[in-house]
């Protein structure tokens, strides 16, 4: 199982990526680029995911409201039939 490691921002094509054949190669590559570089691009990714998720919940809520599907809590009383 080969894993392509493209952690450097200077990598522009897949042919420039490092091929890691096992977990030792992967760990050696991660140690070589450093902890800060491992998390590069995380901020924009979190902003994208959070905005997509909030839009999804807004759409879901608006569809539920238009269809009249409200989540009413149980009253706690048992009615006689």
């Amino acid at each position: 199982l080969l894993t392509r490691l493209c952690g450097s921002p200077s990598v522009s094509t897949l042919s420039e990526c490092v091929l890691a054949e096992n977990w030792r190669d992967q760990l050696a590559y991660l140690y070589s680029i450093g902890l800060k570089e491992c998390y590069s691009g995380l901020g924009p990714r979190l902003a994208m995911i959070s905005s997509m998720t909030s839009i999804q919940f807004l759409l879901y809520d608006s569809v539920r409201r238009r269809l009249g599907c409200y989540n009413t809590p149980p009253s706690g009383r048992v009615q006689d039939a």
Side-chain angles (χ1 to χ4, degrees):
L1 184 69
L2 296 175
T3 303
R4 286 192 187 273
L5 301 171
C6 303
S8 174
S10 63
V11 174
S12 60
T13 63
L14 285 178
S15 63
E16 296 175 1
C17 294
V18 176
L19 287 178
E21 295 181 9
N22 55 31
W23 63 273
R24 287 187 184 118
D25 292 342
Q26 291 179 3
L27 283 177
Y29 179 72
L30 291 175
Y31 283 130
S32 72
I33 63 173
L35 187 63
K36 184 178 179 181
E37 196 67 33
C38 289
Y39 292 103
S40 66
L42 186 61
R45 172 76 60 158
L46 288 175
M48 178 188 70
I49 296 298
S50 63
S51 64
M52 286 175 27
T53 305
S54 61
I55 290 170
Q56 177 185 359
F57 277 115
L58 287 172
L59 287 172
Y60 172 73
D61 187 51
S62 66
V63 168
R64 278 188 49 199
R65 287 177 191 257
R66 288 181 189 218
L67 292 176
C69 301
Y70 296 107
N71 188 12
T72 56
S75 64
R77 288 180 44 196
V78 177
Q79 296 178 356
D80 294 329

